[in-house]
Amino acid sequence: MLEKRNPDTVHAPRGYSHSVEVPAGATWIHISGQIGLRPDGTMVEDAHGQIDQTWDNLAAQLDAANASRDDIVKITVFLTRREDVDYYRATRQRFFGDSVPASTLLFVAGLADPSLVVEIEAVCIRTG
């Protein structure tokens, strides 16, 4: 079980945990940056659709690793458009609910494909 910490001596986080402790003996899983490509390899055209597809792709990676959203220790998110941050935060809330990992959000000038608006990478664990 991950232990998430948000001490009163720092500001309250909005939608993430300040730190996460991993139990001894856990298996670490690093998930490469997921993007808005459908399983058939076609790109989702609109920004909100790309964000939704990216979460779907991350969920598929967790399933393949026999892990759950609760097993995510940290995500790193890259957005190319500031106007998408509110939608991203709403989808993050739906994806994680109350079980929020440590998180870093970066705004970048571009990603590997110029049509991409989001990329999400994750580190998770599997116990037992």
Side-chain angles (χ1 to χ4, degrees):
M1 175 63 77
L2 297 173
E3 186 168 337
K4 298 173 181 177
R5 293 191 180 100
N6 295 299
D8 293 338
T9 53
V10 295
H11 66 87
R14 291 184 356 178
Y16 63 94
S17 295
H18 279 297
S19 66
V20 180
E21 182 178 330
V22 175
T27 299
W28 289 87
I29 304 162
H30 292 258
I31 299 174
S32 294
Q34 300 299 297
I35 57 175
L37 284 179
R38 297 179 188 96
D40 67 5
T42 60
M43 179 71 68
V44 176
E45 294 80 21
D46 66 286
H48 291 183
Q50 279 192 33
I51 292 169
D52 293 338
Q53 183 65 54
T54 300
W55 287 119
D56 289 347
N57 294 343
L58 181 57
Q61 295 300 327
L62 291 169
D63 289 344
N66 294 317
S68 75
R69 296 164 194 208
D70 292 335
D71 297 325
I72 295 179
V73 177
K74 183 179 189 298
I75 60 170
T76 303
V77 179
F78 305 89
L79 288 175
T80 62
R81 302 167 4 138
R82 288 187 182 274
E83 61 264 31
D84 296 325
V85 72
D86 289 338
Y87 186 81
Y88 157 74
R89 285 182 174 148
T91 61
R92 178 188 63 195
Q93 175 61 37
R94 283 194 303 273
F95 188 84
F96 288 112
D98 293 331
S99 181
V100 291
S103 177
T104 299
L105 170 62
L106 303 163
F107 290 99
V108 297
L111 295 164
D113 180 315
S115 63
L116 291 170
V117 299
V118 63
E119 186 166 345
I120 302 173
E121 63 183 30
V123 176
C124 64
I125 62 150
R126 186 176 55 236
T127 56

